[in-house]
Amino acid sequence: MRVSSVVVALGFVSLLTDISSEAVSAVLPLFITSALGMSTLTYGFVDGLMQGATALVRVVGGWASDRGDHPKWVAFLGYGVSALTRAGLLLASGFLAITALVAVDRVGKGMRTAPRDAMIAASSDPRTLGRSFGVHRTFDTVGAALGPLAAFVVLWAIPNGYRTVFVISFGCAVLGLAVLGLMVPDLRPRRAAWLERHRAREERGLPKCKGCTCDLTALAPGGKQSFSWRFLTEPGVRRLMGVAGLLALLTVGDGFVYLSLQTRDGFASQWFPLLYVGTNAAYMCLATPMGRLADRIGRAKVFVASHVALLGAYLCAAVVGGGTASTVATLALLGLFYAGTDGVLSALAGRLAGPAVRGSAIGTAQGVVAGSRMCASWLFGLAWFTLGRSPAMLVVAGLLAVAVPVAWRTLRPLDARLRTQAAA
């Protein structure tokens, strides 16, 4: 079964946008710690800000998508904000200005992510939702691999050529915004769900569904439909939010893992962006297969089990004098972790909540993860500063080893529930 054209179009948007964002992200850790001479504690603050700046905005973006029933234009606003920050980077100088622009860029990312994922869910067959997210994440990750590769080529040809990287980033961001505006249709998931569920019943002379309180005028232009956060009280949603937040609290930023590898192996700075390429290449190859696997055996199972790969990456990064084999294994395991969690989390949240609140559910789940990862970056930066590189990695790995079995036991009932819903 093929994925919809909406998924493919959104994939191209994400491809171009990720070339833009990841080209900047790939040079940021070294730019802060080497070019600006800051400590890992400072980088931990910046990385946490990059993670946490999206937390609340993801929820707001999902809410605005559901409330107005126009997720495309909420996403367009988010992509536009990020594009403007690329232009700002061309003019900015100094640590504070760059930090502020990076934070604003993350706000744009948080604003667009939930509406975009809601469009993917609305345009896809529920039985192959994991595959649709996997295909989209494959496009996304191609861009995430090309961005650091472009940064590597620029820095190889032009030492300290950060401005050139920012020019390339801005151009790709504008192209992605154009594709979204011109090629992606203005889906209205809430209206489509109402029509599918109710109009067919009226045409066949059947009464409204049990418990129905809405009518067609509520979905007409200018009409209003009540919105409720009641979905957050559902046991399955609470379980997912709690487990996702716990595991994210033990997920340190990729930049720390790469800095650990660079500190341990001592390779030249211009090779640093290729670490991002390695992880994203693994993610690109595994995103669609992991989405299919999640559809087949259960999305909750795949989501939790993928954190075992993250545990392996931490152990490989903590090894003293690991060499090339350990570095390659670390990048591959990180790619496997993201392939089994990123799109799968959105697919889980999107199916646990109804169409009227799907964007809010996805945004809330992503916001919980972003907020927890912000705390994780701050705490790990402090742990590295006080304990050292290898002990800090081993502490996080030990805590994750304890958390994974707890998460597995907690989320296990969700897969059975979703299979029952799909069969109904």
Side-chain angles (χ1 to χ4, degrees), residues 9-52:
L10 289 171
F12 277 109
V13 174
S14 292
L15 186 152
L16 291 165
T17 304
D18 263 41
I19 292 176
S20 172
S21 61
E22 295 301 320
V24 175
S25 296
V27 301
L28 197 62
L30 274 186
F31 181 67
I32 292 174
T33 59
S34 297
L36 297 181
M38 303 293 179
S39 68
T40 54
L41 187 61
T42 303
Y43 175 68
F45 172 78
V46 176
D47 187 65
L49 188 64
M50 289 172 62
Q51 300 282 356

Side-chain angles (χ1 to χ4, degrees), residues 314-368:
Y314 290 162
L315 293 175
C316 289
V319 171
V320 177
T324 303
S326 176
T327 297
V328 172
T330 302
L331 303 182
L333 288 168
L334 278 178
L336 176 58
F337 161 68
Y338 285 116
T341 56
D342 189 8
V344 174
L345 176 62
S346 295
L348 264 172
R351 291 303 300 162
L352 286 172
V357 293
R358 181 173 289 144
S360 300
I362 293 173
T364 302
Q366 293 171 343
V368 167

